[in-house]
Amino acid sequence: MTSTGEDQGAARGGPLWWGRWRGALLDTGLATVSALECAVEGVPFARDAGIPVGAGLVFGLLAGSVLLVRRRWPVAVVLVAVAITPAQMGFLMGVVGLYTLSASEMPRRIIASLAGMSLVGTLIVTFVRVQQSMARGEWTLGDRFMPFAAIATSLGVTAPPVLLGLYVGARRRLMESLRERADSLERELQLLAERAEERAEWARNEERTRIAREMHDVVAHRVSLMVVHAAALQAVARKDPEKAVRNAALVGDMGRQALTELREMLGVLRSGGEAARRERVRSVPAAPLAAVGVAAAAAASRAAEGEGPCLSELGELVGQSAAAGMVVDLSVDGEVRSYAAEVEQTAYRVVQEALTNVHKHAAGAKTYVRLAHRVSEIAMQVENEPPPEGASASSARLPSGGNGLVGMKERVAALGGVFVSGPTDGGGFRVSAVIPAV
């Protein structure tokens, strides 16, 4: 399991400038070894310089302990190593300092300058030392060997730590960039997951609203007419048997139509639920109400396939209301033409729900249904006069859930149309809608 940069940052807790205790212990160990090395090398340096041995020993300890701050001030460590090169001490400090400097975030020009100073200092000191050794007779090599020995020694001491440090620094920066990209990707994935959950919740709410609207439009109108006819049947059963028979037949026809439409709607929901279950078995577990979403999409596709109501059935709709005792006047303006299935179904539902509201709230009122075919839109208006005195919806006991106007407005707004409803100055009620033809 890999850890991100945030996890590693939280796990750090070393002292002072160290990010981890492991680094602090490593630097302390290196500084101790370097101090001992410089102290040992300070003894012959003190003898050659003619100073007390103790002073050389203390100087070596202090100089070697500078390696303790290599992570915080690598430049200072390299400068001290270059400064004590003539004293022939600080070999470990110089190597480790060059490596740390090369692996740090210092500009390349600073790294090159300090590495060049160390190279030149080591070259000069090595050349002089080899020359002195040959003069004392300790070495019996030719004069041509001195430059080669000086160059080889200086390159061997300077180049490897610098190259290794550059490689480690580049690799470290690459890993940090990859870790940052992983953190960024993880945050983006979390954000996408949150947005997907929000979109799923919004989609579920939309499907609930759509299904409720479809069920209301399918059932409410015909059931309302059935209740009106049943009330009329109860009123004329003894006085006019023939009219009672006709009303009973109308109630039966409307009941069968309501059952047919309700059965179709439930069939679509059931088939959608089975499709969602099959999809859930084939893939990952589906989100809640996925079956409802599929069913609602299938229900919406019925309108696109022309299975829903259309404007050509508007006359039949008005005739059903007239048969229930409503005085309805239907007028159509403009050239009659066909529209998209969604447009025709929405226009039909608006008129249907408006007539249903007249049955509920203004029984016996004269109603005017106007349909206008325009160039780029279709307009419809359902307006009723005030109901006659003594007539009310309470006689039929028609309940109202308050969802009809809301559903009509949602349908029209979904197609980019305008919906307006409200009472008229004469005491009636008007419902108007304009839907784009395209």
Side-chain angles (χ1 to χ4, degrees), residues 8-24 27 71:
Q8 291 190 358
R12 295 179 178 180
L16 298 177
W17 57 83
W18 287 282
R20 299 174 181 174
W21 281 97
R22 183 177 60 185
D27 290 353
R71 297 178 189 266

Side-chain angles (χ1 to χ4, degrees), residues 229-364:
H229 281 291
L233 177 62
Q234 183 180 4
V236 302
R238 296 181 180 180
K239 298 179 182 180
D240 192 349
E242 294 182 0
K243 187 175 182 180
V245 172
R246 290 196 300 269
N247 287 340
L250 287 174
V251 171
D253 291 340
M254 291 179 183
R256 283 187 290 272
Q257 292 176 3
L259 286 176
T260 300
E261 293 184 359
L262 182 60
R263 190 176 294 112
E264 290 177 357
M265 176 65 68
L266 295 178
V268 171
L269 292 175
R270 184 180 298 276
S271 63
E274 292 176 355
R277 283 194 295 271
R278 289 194 296 269
E279 183 65 23
R280 184 165 61 249
V281 171
R282 289 196 300 266
S283 59
V284 297
L289 290 182
V292 175
V294 175
S301 67
R302 291 174 64 243
E305 295 172 358
E307 297 182 8
C310 56
L311 291 178
S312 62
E313 302 175 9
L314 201 58
E316 180 182 354
L317 176 66
V318 173
Q320 292 175 354
S321 296
M326 179 187 296
V327 180
V328 188
D329 181 16
L330 174 63
S331 62
V332 180
D333 299 331
E335 182 181 356
V336 178
R337 63 183 187 275
S338 61
Y339 301 91
E342 294 86 350
V343 175
E344 294 205 7
Q345 184 179 10
T346 301
Y348 180 92
R349 294 300 189 191
V350 169
V351 176
Q352 182 187 54
E353 181 59 29
L355 293 176
T356 302
N357 288 340
V358 175
H359 283 292
K360 290 181 179 180
H361 307 291

Side-chain angles (χ1 to χ4, degrees), residues 207-217:
E207 300 309 336
R208 290 191 188 100
T209 303
R210 178 189 295 183
I211 293 175
R213 187 167 58 242
E214 290 289 340
M215 297 293 290
H216 178 274
D217 292 342

Side-chain angles (χ1 to χ4, degrees), residues 72-136:
R72 187 69 179 271
W73 297 294
V75 175
V77 174
V78 175
L79 289 177
V80 172
V82 173
I84 64 176
T85 299
Q88 299 181 7
M89 63 174 62
F91 172 78
L92 178 62
M93 183 170 58
V95 172
V96 176
L98 286 175
Y99 165 79
T100 306
L101 178 66
S102 302
S104 65
E105 301 293 335
M106 288 290 176
R108 292 298 177 85
R109 62 178 182 276
I110 296 179
I111 297 176
S113 301
L114 293 177
M117 292 173 57
S118 178
L119 177 66
V120 172
T122 305
L123 177 65
I124 295 174
V125 171
T126 304
F127 183 83
V128 172
R129 185 175 181 179
V130 171
Q131 188 178 23
Q132 291 176 352
S133 298
M134 292 182 65
R136 290 194 299 265

